[in-house]
Amino acid sequence: MRVLLVEDSLQLVPLLIKGLAQGGLAADSVGTIGDARLAIAAVKYAVVVLDLGLPDEDGLTLLREMRRKGDATPVLVLTARDGVTDRVTGLREGADDYLAKPFAMEELVARLQALLRRPGNLLGRKLTFGNVALDTEGRQVFVGDMPHSFPARETAVLEIFLRRGGNVAPKRLFEDHLFGLSGEVASNAVEVYVHRLRKMLGDAGATVKIHTVRGVGYLMAEEKS
Ligand code: CA
């Protein structure tokens, strides 16, 4: 598990390398986008920690390039720019996570470990499970070859299931996501949206089924027919 650290701060780099090593992550560090390009071309990194303010080019340029080439290596953007607009831009350009400076080393390590736990094939722009697929950019749902337009929240719930790839999804995961979308969610909101999604998938002829795991959350499983 090698981490590529793209960061030009001479004070921060040694601290980061040490902190990552304590978290069991070996890091290579580069201070420019030019060097980052060379490193990425030479080594298959498990995750990239990307500063945005770099001496030669903007970090987002590299992120955009990687995604355009279909490189789905998880990228955590680490930057002093903490405005909502910058955060949204970073995520839209394909960042998997975002951490504003100053930050706690423990949090960075925890977030990187969370990114590394995600199966690599689930990080692309199109997520699939059974005969269900989601284009995460166009927010279009497919069941078999048929496109469907599900409402935003049901689509968000589906995305969580697809990213879990057949593993149990804790209820809290959905709550965090739904709260993020509106800020105001009733206590039974997760049940409501999961119930609606279950019906929509059933009506569309999906080969997957959502099971309730009592006291824990939900599980999407493929139906064997
Ligand atoms: Ca910088």
Side-chain angles (χ1 to χ4, degrees):
M1 291 286 191
R2 279 201 94 70
V3 179
L4 178 64
L5 178 59
V6 189
E7 167 64 64
D8 64 326
S9 160
L10 294 177
Q11 285 115 326
L12 203 49
V13 168
L15 296 174
L16 280 166
I17 290 179
K18 192 169 161 228
L20 293 174
Q22 283 167 351
L25 300 166
D28 292 339
S29 104
V30 292
T32 62
I33 293 296
D35 286 346
R37 270 192 199 108
L38 295 175
I40 286 170
V43 179
K44 174 86 188 101
Y45 288 100
V47 64
V48 176
V49 176
L50 181 64
D51 179 28
L52 295 187
L54 292 154
D56 54 347
E57 289 174 70
D58 191 294
L60 286 179
T61 312
L62 178 71
L63 178 57
R64 227 171 271 145
E65 258 173 43
M66 288 170 68
R67 297 309 185 229
R68 209 187 305 125
K69 288 179 186 161
D71 182 344
T73 307
V75 173
L76 181 143
V77 167
L78 189 64
T79 176
R81 301 181 199 172
D82 58 353
V84 172
T85 316
D86 288 322
R87 212 172 274 234
V88 169
T89 307
L91 293 171
R92 280 228 176 97
E93 299 290 353
D96 297 274
D97 203 352
Y98 206 111
L99 195 56
K101 292 175 187 168
F103 59 89
M105 190 59 71
E106 292 84 352
E107 184 175 8
L108 174 64
V109 170
R111 284 177 182 238
L112 290 176
Q113 284 165 343
L115 285 177
L116 291 169
R117 277 196 297 272
R118 292 179 14 192
N121 59 346
L122 297 179
L123 289 168
R125 142 189 182 146
K126 194 164 185 183
L127 305 171
T128 56
F129 192 65
N131 68 345
V132 178
L134 170 69
D135 173 348
T136 57
E137 285 177 22
R139 309 306 293 168
Q140 179 83 64
V141 177
F142 296 86
V143 179
D145 292 330
M146 288 289 291
H148 295 267
S149 289
F150 288 1
R153 291 215 179 85
E154 285 79 346
T155 306
V157 169
L158 175 64
E159 180 171 2
I160 292 170
F161 279 119
L162 296 178
R163 287 195 186 279
R164 295 297 293 171
N167 294 311
V168 172
K171 198 177 158 200
R172 195 186 46 77
L173 204 60
F174 298 96
E175 282 166 352
D176 289 350
H177 212 80
L178 293 173
F179 273 107
L181 288 177
S182 79
E184 232 183 88
V185 178
S187 61
N188 66 340
V190 174
E191 283 86 343
V192 171
Y193 290 115
V194 168
H195 176 78
R196 288 188 199 159
L197 176 64
R198 195 180 261 149
K199 184 165 186 331
M200 286 174 185
L201 290 173
D203 291 348
T207 58
V208 297
K209 226 176 186 149
I210 299 168
H211 301 277
T212 304
V213 184
R214 285 188 79 88
V216 181
Y218 301 93
L219 172 72
M220 183 176 267
E222 198 164 3
E223 291 294 283
K224 304 268 179 279
S225 57

